[in-house]
Amino acid sequence: MNPTNADVVIAGAGPCGLMLALELGARGIRTLVLDREAGVATAPQANATQARSMEHYRRHGFAQEIRQLGMPGDHPTDLAYFTTYAGHELARHRMPCADDAARCVREQAHIWNAAELPHRVPQSLVEQTLLRKATACAGVDIRFNTEVTGFSEDAEGVTVAARDLSTGEALSLRGTYLFGADGAQSCIRKQAGIRYGGDDAAARDFMGGRMLSIYLEAPEFYSALQVPRAWMYWTFNRRRRALLATVDGRGSFVFQTQLRAGEDAMSEADAAALFLQAVGRDIPVRVTGIASWLAGRALVAERFQEGRVFLGGDAVHLFTPTGGMGYNTAIEDAVNIGWKLAAVIRGQADPALLDSYTAERRPVALRNTQFALKFADSVGLFVPSPAIEEDGPAGEAARARAGAYLARHAQHEFTIPGFTLGARYDHSPVICHDTTPPPPDDPSVYVPSGKPGGRAPHAWLQTGESLFDRFGFEWTLLVLSPRAEAAEHLRSAAASRGLRLSVLTLCDEAVVGDLYDAPAALIRPDQVVGWRGDCASLDEAQSIFDVLTGRAAAD
C-alpha cells in the first residue's frame, strides 16, 4: 500500500477547510489542504462573524486579532433603513462597535450568555487569518493552484487525484480520510453521488432571485450625504431595493441588489448606475468587482459523508445570506469533525464516532437554512408602499409603517443569540442524553441549558474570567458539587483511553451550578455538553466514554 501523504486531505481552502486544518493541526494531525485558486479570497464576501465562531477563534487564542480587523473599532455597527440613502431614514437598529464588545458582552450576559459578541468583518480577512494560523501548525501543508479532480477509496484510505494548475502535472495523493470543502460545485460531492435537497430560489421582492454583488469605492458617501454611520445601509422603495455593507469604514463597500427583468450582463458603468439609483443622487464611485449569485436558496445535502469521505460548508449546505449563517455554519462543521477525526486517528475513539458527523451536523444545517429563509421572507415579502417616497400625509404614513416593520425585522434578524448559540444534537448517537425537555429554539432568544447535546452554557466567573477560558482544549469535566464522585472515575477512564481531561472544580460558582443543574458535567472538545449527572464507579465512567467516543454505537 502506498504511504499516506497526510492523515487527512482537505479539498478547499475556504473558511471550512482552513478551520478544519487548524483544528487538526492544533492536535498534531498531518493535514494536506489543496485549493485550485492562487490564494485565499480577496473579495469581502460574507461580512458577519457570529458569536459562536468568535468563541471558537477565542478557543484558539485569536478572537481579539479578528476583532481588530474590518472597520475601525469605534465605527457603529448599526443597521439603517432608508427610502434612498439621500432620502428618508426609516429605521435604525443600534449595535455596539468593536471597541465596546468586551463591555457589552458582559452587560448583556442575560441575552447572549456568550464569551464573545458577533463581529462585522469581511470574510476575506478572516480567511487570511485562518491561513496564517493553520500554516503555523506543524504538520499542516497548504497547496494552492492545485485542483482536486477525483478520488478512490479503499479499506485503508483515500487516493486523491489532483492537478497542479501551474505546471499541468497530474498528482496522486494519499490520505487516511478526505474532507471536501470545495464549495457548491464540489466535485467530491458529485463523485460520491450525494445530492442537494430543499428550497431553491423562491420569488420575493428582494432576496429571492438573481442578485448582484458590486464591490466599490465611494469615500465621499459619508461627507456628501451626511448619513449617520452604520455597518449596513438598506434601501426600501419600489425602484431599487438594495443593501450596502461597510467594509473598512473609509469608503470601501459591498453593494447588493436584486436584478430586475432584463438586467443581465453588467458593465462597471451599469453597476455604478445601479448603486447611484439606490443612493438617490450623484456621488463619485469606482467599481472594483462584480459577482452574481442566487438568493432564496435553502439547500442541504442528503448526507455529509460516504465511507472515508466527508463534506462540509457550501459543499453540503447553501444559504440565503439573511442571518449571515452560511460561513458560520461551515466553521461549526469543521469544529465538529475536527476533534472526531483526531480522536479516531490517534486511536482514542472508535471509527463509529465519525458516523455521528452527519447525524449531528445535517439537522443543524436544515435548521439554519430554514431560519435564514424565514428572515428572507420577512424582509423580501414585505413590499414597499407606492407612496413610500412621496411628500404629504400618504408618504408620511407609508414611511411610518415601513419604519415600524423594519425596526422589528432588524431586531429579529440581527440580534440572534438563539440562531448562533442554540443549535443542538438531540438525536446524536454519541451524546449521553437525559430525559429533561430541550429548551425552546428561537433565533432571537437563546435559552442556556446544561442538557446534554447543546453548547455548554457560558458564565462570567467571580474572578471576572470567562468560563470558556478555563476549559481545556480537549475534554473538560465540570465539578459543581462537593459531593460529586465523578472526578476520580472519569479521570481514570479518560486516561485509559489516552484522552486529555481537564477537571475544573467550581463548587462555589452558584451561577454555573444553576446553568448546568447537575453535580458534574462532561464537556466535549467542541464545547458541547456530552453528559451530566454523577458517576459512582469506574465501570460507569467507562460506559459514559463508550458512548461519547463511538464505541457503544459500534457494538
Side-chain angles (χ1 to χ4, degrees), residues 315-340:
V316 284
H317 43 68
L318 291 177
F319 281 74
T320 288
T322 41
M325 285 300 292
Y327 128 68
N328 293 277
T329 303
I331 293 295
E332 281 283 294
D333 293 343
V335 172
N336 184 284
I337 192 62
W339 74 269
K340 295 174 181 177

Side-chain angles (χ1 to χ4, degrees), residues 205-219:
D205 191 56
F206 191 62
M207 284 293 172
R210 295 177 306 133
M211 300 285 293
L212 206 64
S213 290
I214 302 170
Y215 307 106
L216 58 87
E217 301 287 334

Side-chain angles (χ1 to χ4, degrees), residues 51-62:
R52 189 67 186 125
S53 297
M54 289 297 294
E55 288 182 337
H56 287 307
Y57 301 155
R58 183 182 184 118
R59 180 168 53 86
H60 282 279
F62 60 90

Side-chain angles (χ1 to χ4, degrees), residues 21-198:
L22 179 58
E23 290 287 330
L24 294 170
R27 294 178 168 91
I29 304 300
R30 295 180 305 142
T31 305
L32 174 61
V33 183
L34 309 173
D35 194 284
R36 69 184 311 276
E37 301 297 333
V40 295
T42 55
Q45 297 180 304
N47 49 30
T49 296
Q50 299 293 359
R52 189 67 186 125
S53 297
M54 289 297 294
E55 288 182 337
H56 287 307
Y57 301 155
R58 183 182 184 118
R59 180 168 53 86
H60 282 279
F62 60 90
Q64 192 56 32
E65 188 175 335
I66 293 288
R67 204 170 287 283
Q68 298 303 312
L69 302 175
M71 298 179 294
D74 61 352
H75 193 291
T77 63
D78 298 355
L79 291 305
Y81 298 83
F82 302 83
T83 51
T84 63
Y85 302 133
H88 300 274
E89 181 168 327
L90 301 171
R92 181 174 289 257
H93 179 62
R94 300 192 182 277
M95 301 283 284
C97 62
D99 285 350
D100 289 340
R103 173 180 59 82
C104 289
V105 74
R106 293 171 184 266
E107 292 178 352
Q108 299 177 15
H110 59 295
I111 297 172
W112 281 97
N113 184 259
E116 295 281 346
L117 287 185
H119 182 53
R120 312 306 182 186
V121 57
Q123 179 182 316
S124 56
L125 299 181
V126 175
E127 287 189 26
Q128 292 165 25
T129 305
L130 289 173
L131 176 62
R132 289 196 304 273
K133 300 301 180 181
T135 303
C137 295
V140 173
D141 181 8
I142 301 176
R143 303 182 194 178
F144 290 100
N145 291 309
T146 306
E147 180 179 27
V148 173
T149 58
F151 66 90
S152 60
E153 181 183 348
D154 55 57
E156 302 297 327
V158 183
T159 300
V160 179
R163 183 171 62 251
D164 186 323
L165 298 179
S166 300
T167 65
E169 178 186 3
L171 304 172
S172 180
L173 303 163
R174 182 84 177 157
T176 308
Y177 296 96
L178 171 63
F179 188 86
D182 50 342
Q185 299 303 318
S186 169
C187 78
I188 295 173
R189 186 192 71 249
K190 291 176 181 177
Q191 182 178 332
I194 299 174
R195 297 175 297 177
Y196 285 125

Side-chain angles (χ1 to χ4, degrees), residues 290-413:
I290 303 171
S292 60
W293 48 283
L294 201 60
R297 309 182 100 176
L299 300 178
V300 177
E302 58 193 4
R303 59 190 187 279
F304 286 20
Q305 58 195 103
E306 181 71 26
R308 292 178 175 270
V309 179
F310 301 84
L311 296 155
D314 286 353
V316 284
H317 43 68
L318 291 177
F319 281 74
T320 288
T322 41
M325 285 300 292
Y327 128 68
N328 293 277
T329 303
I331 293 295
E332 281 283 294
D333 293 343
V335 172
N336 184 284
I337 192 62
W339 74 269
K340 295 174 181 177
L341 283 168
V344 171
I345 290 166
R346 289 168 170 171
Q348 299 167 336
D350 192 279
L353 175 64
L354 301 177
D355 295 336
S356 69
Y357 175 61
T358 289
E360 292 187 345
R361 293 306 300 161
R362 188 172 185 274
V364 172
L366 291 168
R367 165 196 187 262
N368 287 0
T369 54
Q370 289 305 307
F371 276 152
L373 211 55
K374 289 178 181 178
F375 292 145
D377 284 345
S378 177
V379 71
L381 296 178
F382 181 53
V383 178
S385 163
I388 191 79
E389 296 184 270
E390 292 180 3
D391 294 328
E396 292 174 1
R399 290 188 289 275
R401 290 195 306 272
Y405 181 90
L406 293 169
R408 184 169 180 81
H409 164 82
Q411 171 69 31
H412 284 289
E413 183 181 349

